[in-house]
Amino acid sequence: MMLALVCATGVSAEDVAPIDALLEIEGDVAYGEYLATECTACHGGGGRIPPLAGLPREYMLSALHDYKSGVRENATMKNVAMALGDDEMAALAAFFETETP
Amino acid sequence: MTLNRRHFMGTGAALAAALSAPMVMGQSRPRVVVVGGGAGGATAARYIAKDSNGAIDVTLIEPSRTYYTCWFSNLYLGGVRTFDSLGHTYGALAADGINVVHDYAVGVDRDAKTVSLAGGGSLPYDRLILSPGIDFKDGAMPGWDVSAQNAMPHAYKGGSQTQLLKAQLEAMPEGGRFIMVAPPNPYRCPPGPYERVSMVANYFKYNNPTASILIVDLKEKFSKQALFEEGWQRHYSGMIERLGPDFGGANVSVNPAEMTVDIDGAVEKGDVVNVIPAMQAGRIVHQAGLTEGDWAPVNAADMSSKMDADIHILGDASAQGDMPKSGFSANSQAKVAAMAVRGALTDSRVFPAKYSNTCWSLIHAVDQPDGVKVGANYEATEEKIASTGGFISQPGEDVGLRADTYRESLAWYDAITSDMFGAA
Ligand SMILES: Cc1cc2nc3c(=O)[nH]c(=O)nc-3n(C[C@H](O)[C@H](O)[C@H](O)COP(=O)(O)OP(=O)(O)OC[C@H]3O[C@@H](n4cnc5c(N)ncnc54)[C@H](O)[C@@H]3O)c2cc1C
């Protein structure tokens, strides 16, 4: 229920781990591969939603960080990022970097 | 079986798991049978086959050779999407090593662990996945049964019913009347009937501008109501009327021979009448004895039946908790089940279940695409799949954002259909 409230009102940038801390975490690639199955429901068809395969880890982490904190505005991606903890972001970033575009 | 290059580039752990699994020809591999090649079933079959690299023998049973999506079928009614663009075949799944059997499952023997087919014979399984979608409840709408679906189509299963409704709308006289009898909760795609009204209105606006729409609805409120009502006012002022329970809508019956709807004694005649009756889980889960009431209860952690740990039930047929019955949800649930099944049958890693759903609806198309969306995240609790929060489009958003939302939905359609059926 708390989360629902946070989601509806948006979190402030301070509630989200700083990007430097995220970059320090070593991602679990196998976990990332599982989490990535959520992403492929929207990513991979081209058009308005960009591809993720091969994205550099730093780029992925800063994008997810920015959606979560609201620096980058998109309600769909914000909702995705809201449900990801730091380890999950790190795992996703590590996995997508290994994928061939 | 072609080995996917992607997997050899994956982690050492994944590779080790693949190699330790019994792959030698002739040695019996664990068997998974999937019933229903729709949103849930196609996804589950594809992910189990793809991620197990041939270690699991996957059979998909589906009577149709082409699956026509319900999602975006309203856009076809609205004239902004072709019928062909909704069709998906099973060639890519077969190429992934899945044994695709075009037949209909008629029974499950849970003791022998076999599924029997209408075409004769039966298939043994170690794990069974059922994703048969919905069937309509006989007698739930007085005057309507499945034999009435040619006069009063439901168009709530993909394919020929959608084409029939489209043909009826096109044949409607100038200034004619379209009546929709909306379904009671719970049903597949909560915003679906109201997106349909929007798309029918979009069609009328440009092709039959004096036509009118009556919605007969037993529900107090409906999904994205504020957004739809605002949009109907903005784009189709005066065209759409809704009779809710406060108008005495408690007592509704239909007469397909007369093309009438009786609402508490007031008889309304339509040129086209779209009856969307009450729904229940697809027949096979009832036959298998896995239902409680209309739906099949499942464990939130892995979508396994509460009555049989070797059977997973996905999508519309399941009673899982907070997720809406949608193609997106079925796809999300299938990925959790696929992971759990692989974990049980091979020694691949198992992670905590994570689910999500986003549903877009199109309120107006031509010249001014007006798309809205609702989405949420979910986690598995002991009791059910529980929402952890979400978002919804807001009334009064600017036209640029609404057009962008529509473009997102187009990209989603292409992504999710290749996620289910493989790249064409
Ligand atoms: C008008 C409309 C609009 C919609 N829009 C959206 C949308 O925008 N987004 C969204 O996410 N969802 C949408 N949906 C909902 C979506 O279509 C369903 O929720 C989804 O298809 C459910 O997936 P499923 O796997 O449970 O069933 P289905 O996709 O219906 O698949 C079931 C399959 O099982 C087969 N089958 C059934 N019984 C047997 C048997 N005994 N043996 C073998 N095969 C069998 C059937 O032939 C069918 O192919 C919409 C639905 C409608 C009606």
Side-chain angles (χ1 to χ4, degrees), chain A residues 11 16 19 22 25 34 38 42 51 66:
Chain A
V11 283
V16 180
I19 183 74
L22 270 179
I25 305 170
Y34 165 63
E38 176 189 349
C42 293
D66 289 353

Side-chain angles (χ1 to χ4, degrees), chain B residues 172-398:
Chain B
M172 218 172 86
E174 210 180 299
R177 188 185 214 194
F178 171 73
I179 304 179
M180 169 191 281
V181 182
N185 290 320
Y187 60 95
R188 65 168 25 166
C189 194
Y194 310 96
E195 181 188 55
R196 173 170 296 169
V197 164
S198 308
M199 287 294 99
V200 169
N202 186 89
Y203 171 75
F204 287 163
K205 183 173 170 181
Y206 297 97
N207 298 281
N208 191 348
T210 54
S212 64
I213 299 176
L214 175 67
I215 311 167
V216 179
D217 205 340
L218 300 175
K219 301 184 293 296
E220 289 292 342
K221 51 189 173 78
F222 60 89
S223 170
K224 301 179 184 163
Q225 184 162 359
L227 297 167
F228 280 115
E229 288 178 347
E230 179 198 50
W232 294 344
Q233 187 63 39
R234 173 167 357 141
H235 304 295
Y236 317 111
S237 180
M239 189 187 278
I240 302 166
E241 184 191 358
R242 175 172 173 264
L243 291 185
D246 42 335
F247 289 91
N251 239 327
V252 176
S253 65
V254 299
N255 183 335
E258 302 289 330
M259 290 298 280
T260 54
V261 181
D262 184 318
I263 307 141
D264 257 359
V267 177
E268 304 282 346
K269 192 166 167 57
D271 296 289
V272 176
V273 181
N274 173 208
V275 178
I276 310 175
M279 295 166 209
Q280 60 182 333
R283 197 162 294 123
I284 189 75
V285 287
H286 293 277
Q287 282 162 339
L290 299 170
T291 48
E292 218 175 76
D294 293 334
W295 311 99
V298 294
N299 295 303
D302 60 0
M303 300 301 293
S304 61
S305 164
K306 289 203 166 157
M307 298 161 193
D308 190 326
D310 294 324
I311 303 182
H312 300 252
I313 301 151
L314 309 177
D316 292 355
S318 66
Q320 33 69 22
D322 295 348
M323 297 184 85
K325 296 185 188 300
S326 73
F328 200 122
S329 295
N331 170 265
S332 173
Q333 293 159 7
K335 290 162 180 173
V336 170
M339 172 189 61
V341 165
R342 283 198 303 121
L345 298 181
T346 66
D347 42 14
S348 66
R349 279 172 72 188
V350 173
F351 302 101
K354 189 172 181 301
Y355 301 96
S356 68
N357 175 67
T358 301
C359 281
W360 289 265
S361 302
L362 188 58
I363 301 179
H364 185 270
V366 182
D367 294 340
Q368 194 187 327
D370 186 352
V372 293
K373 55 189 172 182
V374 60
N377 298 300
Y378 305 85
E379 65 182 15
T381 67
E382 276 298 308
E383 182 205 345
K384 63 171 184 176
I385 297 184
S387 171
T388 57
F391 74 99
I392 183 166
S393 295
Q394 295 303 306
E397 284 169 349
D398 72 73

Side-chain angles (χ1 to χ4, degrees), chain B residues 35-36 38-40 62-63 67 70-71 104-105 131-133 188-189 316 326-328:
Chain B
V35 175
E62 164 61 49
Y67 176 85
C70 285
W71 56 101
Y104 192 81
S131 194
R188 65 168 25 166
C189 194
D316 292 355
S326 73
F328 200 122

Side-chain angles (χ1 to χ4, degrees), chain A residues 42-51, chain B residues 407-415 418:
Chain A
C42 293
H43 289 269
R48 174 67 182 83
I49 305 181
Chain B
R407 281 194 294 275
E408 271 182 33
S409 73
L410 294 176
W412 163 75
Y413 185 95
D414 290 343
S418 55

